[in-house]
Amino acid sequence: MEETFAVKLEKKRYLPDPRCRAAARVPDYPRAYREFMRDPEGFWDRVARELVWFKPWDQVREWNYPYAKWFVNGQLNITASCLDRHAAGDRKDKPAIIWRGEGGEEERVFTYDGLRREVMRFANGLKLLGVGKGDRVCIYMPLVPEQVVAMLACARIGAVHSVVFGGFGPDALATRINDAAAKVLITADVAYRRGKTVPLREIALEALARTPCVERVVVLRREHPKVDLDPDREVDYADLMAAAAPSSPAEAMDAEDPLFILYTSGSTGAPKGIVHTCGGYAVGAYYTTKCVFDIKESDVYWCTADPGWITGHSYVVYGPLAVGTTVVIVEGAPDHPDPGACWRQVRDLGVTVFYTAPTAIRMFMRYGDRWPAKYDLSTLRVLGSVGEPLNPEAFEWYYHRIGGGRCPIVDTWWQTETGMHMATTMIGEAMKPGFVGKAVPGAVVDVVDRTGRPVPPGTGGFLVVREPWPAMLRGVHGNDERYRAYWNTIPGCYTAGDLAVKDEDGYIMVLGRADDLIVVAGHNIGTAEVESALVSHDAVAEAAVIGKPDPLKGNAIKAFVTLRAGVIPDDGLSGELARHVKKSLGPVAVPAEIEYVDRLPKTRSGKIMRRVLRARELGMDPGDISTLEE
Ligand code: WTA
């Protein structure tokens, strides 16, 4: 995209209950932000002091563009902040993890003390397998407590984990194992999803035929009778635990030592191994969990993400445990065995803070209001969203049907690379449907043109970060060039790859990925905008739009639409949808073609893969589709 472009902005806003604001961890956002801007290092210095350090830092930040170091020469172990300090204090018997199997029949609870003991034992188990500081360990597991234990056990001994989401297939797994040169793989025989089993170990074995770096495999066996293991290479999770000593001191890590690698799919080429480090990441994940979600001692917190994604790393595992809250984890699909499953868990467990993705919200919308209406959701206090633009219709539904018009919604914009929330509407600030909001205290986020100049309100541009932040990626594993590309695309800025626009109040609306832009007759059209307009029609559940080469206009818009339950597409519907988009965005954004489909291709993390639709439409190769769901 060469030019900036005009965007029509919604004006609607919701004012929060003043009581929410008064009681919030950050009761005065503008003031908190000003304080941060006055002294960024002082701000982060104060936050970092809330965690456990073995050795204090000499310097908060060292910025040698584009390379940053945070908490220079400081030493810590993130598990001391996530486990030991809680287990040694008032939170010893507080539930750290409440896990439920799909459908909610099975439940396991780990207190902070119990989780600490489990982690220490498994850390010793890893040592028995020859894993030490700096070694890479791949974790390919279902959403079970052992997945979290495995991550924390790696962190305990300074091994670098690379979690691969359990929905990935053998090729994707092998690529990631080899890129990280993982020495040990931790997996399970099966995952449970929609009442069926997913044969994780079999998939892993297929991958392992191509991964000479892997020496040993730990298998959590869940099924009965137990599957046979290969004694030369595989070891049972429980046997390893039984053989391991109970106590394991937390290894002292340099703040800049790597904590984990997590792969993210670039728009082109092989997946990128995003490297996060021990110190800055811990501080960023901790601060944002505490302040953006406004976590209080009595909260029951549920983030529906899998730790196979960054959202799971920062907001299922490290952030919430560092804060010392109770984390709910539920395996399986949120709409199984029925579309009320998710809301039943909220009621049964008394969930107070709920964090999910727009794709899930739209799915629940599609099922209809009667499902959430069956359950008492009055414990909910804060709602969060992440991963894609939360279109105004989904915002309204979430706000009224789930939050009862009472709960603030924090729509959080961030990325695998940023490690932590970067922009949102802090609790207490006015919420504007469609807008994420402003930069969180601690981050400097802006919308700029190609030269790095801020664009005026109402003009779309590139979403960038201007200053380094503690949880920022420190590199792309084995590929410095790809790391530098984040910082040398737009002068002086970290380029996120998203398009966005600000309104007069400085609120940011994320329009979608820069590569999802369609140029129609010389006009830049954001896919998200057209999709949002389509979804605002009563008949539409979800929409994805792509550009199709057009001899006249350069590109024409084609829309793929799924309809709400009970809606049958008749001859008139396409015309009606076209008129609806025209009314909302103008004639230039009207789809030339609308196709009704049962479902849209999505990544396992719920992002619509427009590239797959486009390739299918144009008879091209879709490229790397390892992240495609099912
Ligand atoms: C998109 C997920 C709009 C965006 C944490 C970003 C969002 C990409 C939002 C990163 C949001 C994330 N509103 N878009 N609140 N949050 N995105 O690495 O395009 O899986 O660049 O990290 O998701 O995806 P990732």
Side-chain angles (χ1 to χ4, degrees):
M1 187 194 60
E2 291 306 328
E3 302 302 329
T4 52
F5 52 96
V7 181
K8 184 173 153 267
L9 299 176
E10 301 258 345
K11 293 265 189 265
K12 188 158 182 181
R13 55 162 70 201
Y14 282 99
L15 291 169
D17 183 335
R19 279 168 303 180
C20 277
R21 180 183 179 124
R25 292 267 197 179
V26 178
D28 185 347
Y29 163 76
R31 193 172 133 205
Y33 199 80
R34 276 197 306 275
E35 276 171 11
F36 153 66
M37 286 299 268
R38 240 192 330 266
D39 178 13
E41 296 195 10
F43 173 91
W44 284 117
D45 184 273
R46 283 191 298 280
V47 175
R49 283 169 199 277
E50 294 177 26
L51 297 180
V52 180
W53 293 80
F54 301 153
K55 180 173 170 280
W57 49 94
D58 300 331
Q59 198 184 333
V60 173
R61 142 190 136 169
E62 188 187 294
W63 183 220
N64 182 13
Y65 195 94
Y67 302 100
K69 285 185 179 168
W70 284 84
F71 309 107
V72 181
N73 294 327
Q75 286 185 356
L76 80 166
N77 186 298
I78 196 167
T79 67
S81 290
C82 291
L83 301 171
D84 303 56
R85 66 158 159 179
H86 306 311
D90 293 346
R91 298 193 183 112
K92 182 167 185 272
D93 300 319
K94 177 174 178 170
I97 294 178
I98 302 176
W99 175 87
R100 287 210 165 177
E102 189 173 63
E105 278 123 61
E106 210 186 328
E107 179 176 293
R108 293 164 68 197
V109 178
F110 290 78
T111 62
Y112 270 97
D113 187 52
L115 182 62
R116 175 173 177 267
R117 282 190 275 124
E118 189 87 0
V119 167
M120 290 200 298
R121 213 178 252 283
F122 195 63
N124 283 328
L126 289 175
K127 282 189 182 164
L128 290 177
L129 300 181
V131 177
K133 193 170 180 167
D135 286 336
R136 267 87 57 210
V137 172
C138 179
I139 300 174
Y140 180 66
M141 295 193 85
L143 192 42
V144 288
E146 287 80 359
Q147 184 190 33
V148 178
V149 168
M151 291 167 73
L152 292 166
C154 287
R156 188 83 175 169
I157 61 173
V160 178
H161 58 68
S162 162
V163 184
V164 176
F165 176 57
F168 278 123
D171 294 338
L173 178 59
T175 311
R176 287 159 175 77
I177 289 175
N178 286 330
D179 187 79
K183 188 168 172 181
V184 163
L185 173 71
I186 305 168
T187 188
D189 53 353
V190 295
Y192 299 115
R193 193 171 171 87
R194 297 197 182 283
K196 300 202 187 86
T197 57
V198 183
L200 287 189
R201 176 172 166 273
E202 277 170 34
I203 297 168
L205 289 180
E206 222 180 304
L208 286 169
R210 279 167 278 155
T211 58
C213 51
V214 175
E215 293 166 15
R216 301 299 299 273
V217 180
V218 184
V219 184
L220 176 74
R221 289 190 288 182
R222 311 176 75 192
E223 290 273 277
H224 298 282
K226 289 190 170 174
V227 60
D228 288 333
L229 301 181
D230 167 3
D232 290 337
R233 187 165 64 176
E234 293 176 307
V235 51
D236 176 69
Y237 182 95
D239 293 347
L240 185 65
M241 289 294 261
S247 165
S248 158
E251 183 78 32
M253 303 297 290
D254 188 273
E256 284 297 315
D257 280 336
L259 175 65
F260 65 84
I261 300 174
L262 183 63
Y263 287 84
T264 181
S265 42
S267 45
T268 53
K272 297 186 261 196
I274 302 300
V275 179
H276 282 286
T277 54
C278 294
Y281 173 80
V283 174
Y286 163 78
Y287 172 76
T288 47
T289 305
K290 180 178 134 183
C291 293
V292 171
F293 296 125
D294 186 37
I295 302 288
K296 306 279 177 24
E297 196 56 51
S298 57
D299 276 318
V300 176
Y301 167 92
W302 184 14
C303 164
T304 63
D306 186 290
W309 308 109
I310 191 66
T311 304
H313 280 63
S314 301
Y315 301 110
V316 173
V317 182
Y318 292 115
L321 295 178
V323 173
T325 193
T326 294
V327 179
V328 171
I329 296 179
V330 180
E331 184 178 6
D335 58 342
H336 186 89
D338 64 64
C342 179
W343 314 122
R344 200 154 52 243
Q345 307 287 0
V346 169
R347 180 201 59 191
D348 290 354
L349 296 169
V351 172
T352 58
V353 180
F354 182 71
Y355 189 33
T356 195
T359 182
I361 298 166
R362 290 191 296 258
M363 174 183 80
F364 290 125
M365 260 173 98
R366 188 176 174 174
Y367 285 128
D369 298 351
R370 69 192 179 94
W371 292 101
K374 281 185 175 188
Y375 302 99
D376 175 4
L377 304 179
S378 62
T379 52
L380 287 172
R381 169 174 101 68
V382 177
L383 300 176
S385 175
V386 60
E388 275 204 296
L390 179 64
N391 50 294
E393 286 58 44
F395 178 102
E396 299 280 348
W397 189 85
Y398 200 28
Y399 186 71
H400 293 290
R401 300 288 160 261
I402 305 304
R406 180 185 77 242
C407 307
I409 293 181
V410 286
D411 178 2
T412 56
W413 175 81
W414 61 295
Q415 308 179 293
T416 304
E417 293 88 337
T418 70
M420 63 180 231
H421 299 151
M422 300 300 279
T424 191
T425 302
M426 295 291 283
I427 289 171
E429 292 295 292
M431 292 168 277
K432 301 189 186 187
F435 289 82
V436 290
K438 300 186 186 185
V440 300
V444 186
V445 178
D446 208 348
V447 183
V448 303
D449 65 16
R450 205 168 267 288
T451 68
R453 259 198 322 259
V455 291
T459 300
F462 299 96
L463 191 51
V464 299
V465 186
R466 283 201 185 277
E467 295 286 326
W469 63 101
M472 65 187 258
L473 76 162
R474 297 299 195 276
V476 173
H477 185 68
N479 196 331
D480 194 45
E481 194 138 332
R482 287 182 100 178
Y483 172 72
R484 284 201 310 270
Y486 285 105
W487 291 94
N488 60 24
T489 304
I490 295 175
C493 299
Y494 165 87
T495 305
D498 286 331
L499 296 173
V501 60
K502 278 184 178 181
D503 71 359
E504 265 94 32
D505 301 326
Y507 276 55
I508 296 167
M509 176 187 284
V510 181
L511 301 169
R513 299 290 303 168
D515 35 26
D516 283 343
L517 201 82
I518 308 172
V519 184
V520 184
H523 300 278
N524 289 294
I525 311 284
T527 51
E529 234 181 336
V530 183
E531 288 160 6
S532 177
L534 284 165
V535 174
S536 71
H537 190 281
D538 287 342
V540 177
E542 279 204 286
V545 309
I546 60 162
K548 235 177 120 168
D550 179 276
L552 211 58
K553 297 177 169 175
N555 284 290
I557 299 172
K558 168 152 188 188
F560 296 84
V561 166
T562 66
L563 297 171
R564 291 223 195 178
V567 179
I568 316 283
D570 58 26
D571 293 347
L573 185 59
S574 296
E576 195 182 315
L577 292 178
R579 279 192 297 280
H580 182 76
V581 175
K582 185 171 172 185
K583 207 166 138 237
S584 139
L585 297 174
V588 67
V590 173
E593 204 184 321
I594 297 178
E595 184 177 332
Y596 301 99
V597 292
D598 289 334
R599 54 195 300 190
L600 296 171
K602 286 185 191 164
T603 63
R604 281 294 202 151
S605 61
K607 293 190 206 312
I608 297 170
M609 291 185 89
R610 296 174 189 82
R611 147 168 90 80
V612 171
L613 288 169
R614 204 175 127 79
R616 201 183 288 159
E617 187 69 25
L618 304 179
M620 298 179 332
D621 175 11
D624 179 10
I625 51 164
S626 60
T627 56
L628 189 65
E629 181 187 41
E630 266 134 51

